[in-house]
Amino acid sequence: MGFILAAAGSAVGLGNVWRFPYVTGENGGGAFLLIYLGIVFSIGVSVLIAELIIGRSTQLDPAGAFRKLAGGAWPLVGYMSILTAFVILSFYCVIAGWTVAYMAKSIAGSVLLSDLEQVGSAFDTFITDPLEPVLYTALFVGLTVFVALGGIANGIERAARLLMPALFIILLVLVARSVTLDGAVEGVAFFLQPDFTKVTWGTLLAALGQAFFSLSLGMGAMITYGSYMHRHDDIAGSALAVTVLDALVAVLAGLVILPAVFAFGATPSAGPGLTFITLPSIFAQMPFGSFFAALFFFLLAIAALTSSVALLEVVITYFMDEGEANRTKVAVGAGVATFALAVPASLSLGIMSGFTIGGNVLLDALDYMTSNITLPLGGLLVALFMGWSLKHKGEEEFVDGSALAPALVSAWRFIIRYVAPLAIALILINGLGFI
Ligand code: TRP
């Protein structure tokens, strides 16, 4: 149970509440949701199981685990994951900073306007400011380093076990408020009625990337979590529980944001700001709105903090396993480096918006590069490693502790050996436009 909650704490975060609704909005709604869930419950859960197996059997961090199990070029997968963790952490802290800012602004009452245009322009003014969001980013990076260093990571995780059910309940209340807004039906239909004419390779890549991002896959984090598992702990049951919880929170967030988008006459494809321009309008239409808004953004910030601490931990563990003994030095160094990348990421929405990579401003480019390239690539390599290098050794580890019907083990083997590698490769090649 403790393991499931810790792994779910890493999985549930901004990926569910911030990223999922806006990516769904950008990719046409219902069909995207179906494809997303399809990927999550086939490739996602199978790769999650594979990462847990690698971690539990070696009791080591990603680089160490690959080194022990295989050698050759495999430890490179571990290195790629460290770099990915660092990049994700940097833009993650920018968005988490927005969450903290919106908590403060909700208390002050300055963002809870019922007129969407005003909410949108308040948001724009905030994120394009050269100073304010950067300060909140600094605050959040500092908090992450402090938690990782202060030895209170366990304390935060324990607190999160109480607070996450609260976030879940508020989400339920918000769903009720959002779907009953005037004009919300259109948004519910957008989210739940699939229209497959809009599906392209890009849609598939976005769903794949979102699945990996949300489940914290493809970058070794779940290998690290697996290494905390005891021998004979139930891998299959834990993986399924984490996957179901994570998907549930994402669907709820979608049911909050998307109906409201249509009720307020916003555009679903508005991009990374979508959650921040619709939520305040919903709160503005609720009794005790500013209290609930502050509470909600507080809980979301805590969810983000458990994720950011886990991301930093990936980096810290790597350097310490490589022989750097001073944890403080590593954590502070990683924090400073993270902030150094987070600053231009934040400024890329304002004064540095002229600088683009492949048509994206820096923040979007970092997000795209990790979610849509390095995470799926990491997942592909994990699947190949499990299916073709570890083979029966991995399977023995899998069934140890899980009461599994042989048919399920076969299904998993088939997905890990054939479906996941082929599907990920195809989606990557076509989605990135190589063909
Ligand atoms: N899954 C997290 C979220 O949805 C983000 C994330 C990706 C993450 N990779 C991670 C968190 C590794 C912790 C560790 O917000």
Side-chain angles (χ1 to χ4, degrees):
M1 194 63 187
F3 167 80
I4 293 174
L5 290 173
S10 143
V12 173
L14 296 173
N16 310 63
V17 179
W18 159 70
R19 203 173 187 282
F20 176 76
Y22 99 71
V23 175
T24 305
E26 277 179 341
N27 286 282
F32 179 85
L33 173 66
L34 261 190
I35 293 166
Y36 175 71
L37 292 176
I39 290 177
V40 161
F41 284 100
S42 55
I43 298 174
V45 76
S46 299
V47 172
L48 175 54
I49 288 169
E51 291 201 15
L52 293 179
I53 290 174
I54 294 172
R56 198 187 73 175
S57 67
T58 57
Q59 306 277 309
L60 287 170
D61 73 291
F66 281 109
R67 212 176 295 139
K68 176 168 170 186
L69 288 173
W74 285 112
L76 288 176
V77 182
Y79 302 137
M80 185 172 81
S81 63
I82 316 305
L83 202 65
T84 302
F86 164 71
V87 173
I88 292 182
L89 183 60
S90 68
F91 72 79
Y92 206 82
C93 285
V94 174
I95 313 297
W98 296 357
T99 308
V100 177
Y102 265 61
M103 176 178 100
K105 288 169 191 289
S106 302
I107 297 171
S110 59
V111 285
L112 301 188
L113 310 156
S114 45
D115 179 50
L116 192 87
E117 249 167 53
Q118 287 177 322
V119 178
S121 73
F123 176 72
D124 255 12
T125 311
F126 168 63
I127 59 161
T128 54
D129 190 89
L131 191 61
E132 202 189 350
V134 173
L135 292 180
Y136 279 106
T137 301
L139 177 70
F140 200 84
V141 173
L143 215 56
T144 303
V145 172
F146 176 77
V147 170
L149 267 186
I152 59 168
N154 280 330
I156 292 286
E157 212 169 77
R158 224 171 304 132
R161 280 174 207 178
L162 293 174
L163 296 174
M164 288 312 98
L167 178 66
F168 193 80
I169 291 167
I170 292 207
L171 275 173
L172 286 177
V173 174
L174 286 175
V175 169
R177 172 66 278 198
S178 183
V179 299
T180 52
L181 289 165
D182 266 346
V185 233
E186 218 185 312
V188 176
F190 174 82
F191 187 45
L192 299 181
Q193 260 175 22
D195 172 4
F196 286 101
T197 60
K198 291 180 197 151
V199 175
T200 62
W201 283 106
T203 318
L204 296 182
L205 182 58
L208 185 71
Q210 175 61 24
F212 278 96
F213 185 90
S214 193
L215 288 169
S216 309
L217 293 178
M219 48 165 293
M222 287 298 173
I223 295 181
T224 308
Y225 276 96
S227 74
Y228 301 149
M229 283 181 118
H230 301 294
R231 276 289 153 77
H232 320 301
D233 275 356
D234 176 5
I235 288 182
S238 312
L240 190 64
V242 170
T243 306
V244 168
L245 269 175
D246 188 69
L248 192 60
V249 175
V251 170
L252 286 183
L255 274 177
V256 172
I257 306 297
L258 294 165
V261 164
F262 283 81
F264 297 136
T267 20
S269 57
L274 194 68
T275 292
F276 290 85
I277 51 181
T278 41
L279 273 178
S281 303
I282 306 176
F283 286 117
Q285 307 211 0
M286 283 171 71
F288 308 104
S290 86
F291 168 77
F292 282 117
L295 185 62
F296 178 83
F297 285 116
F298 167 72
L299 294 172
L300 185 55
I302 297 291
L305 191 60
T306 57
S307 294
S308 66
V309 170
L311 282 162
L312 181 62
E313 203 59 46
V314 174
V315 182
I316 294 178
T317 315
Y318 166 71
F319 282 103
M320 296 198 61
D321 282 354
E322 291 303 296
E324 172 55 64
N326 189 331
R327 194 176 158 88
T328 311
K329 214 163 104 184
V330 175
V332 172
V336 170
T338 298
F339 185 61
L341 184 56
V343 171
S346 178
L347 296 181
S348 74
L349 302 171
I351 54 174
M352 277 176 61
S353 61
F355 171 72
T356 57
I357 301 170
N360 286 322
V361 297
L362 184 64
L363 185 125
D364 296 354
L366 296 176
D367 183 354
Y368 188 89
M369 263 161 20
T370 46
S371 297
N372 292 9
I373 302 175
T374 65
L375 294 185
L377 205 55
L380 171 67
L381 292 170
V382 163
L384 287 176
F385 179 68
M386 180 59 59
W388 299 92
S389 175
L390 270 192
K391 291 189 277 194
H392 59 275
K393 252 167 74 192
E395 272 169 47
E396 280 163 23
E397 187 75 30
F398 182 25
V399 291
D400 181 354
S402 306
L404 282 168
L408 277 179
V409 181
S410 306
W412 173 76
R413 181 195 304 125
F414 186 69
I415 293 177
I416 278 296
R417 296 194 84 173
Y418 304 105
V419 179
L422 283 175
I424 297 172
L426 258 180
I427 295 175
L428 267 177
I429 291 168
N430 289 291
L432 294 173
F434 291 133
I435 287 179

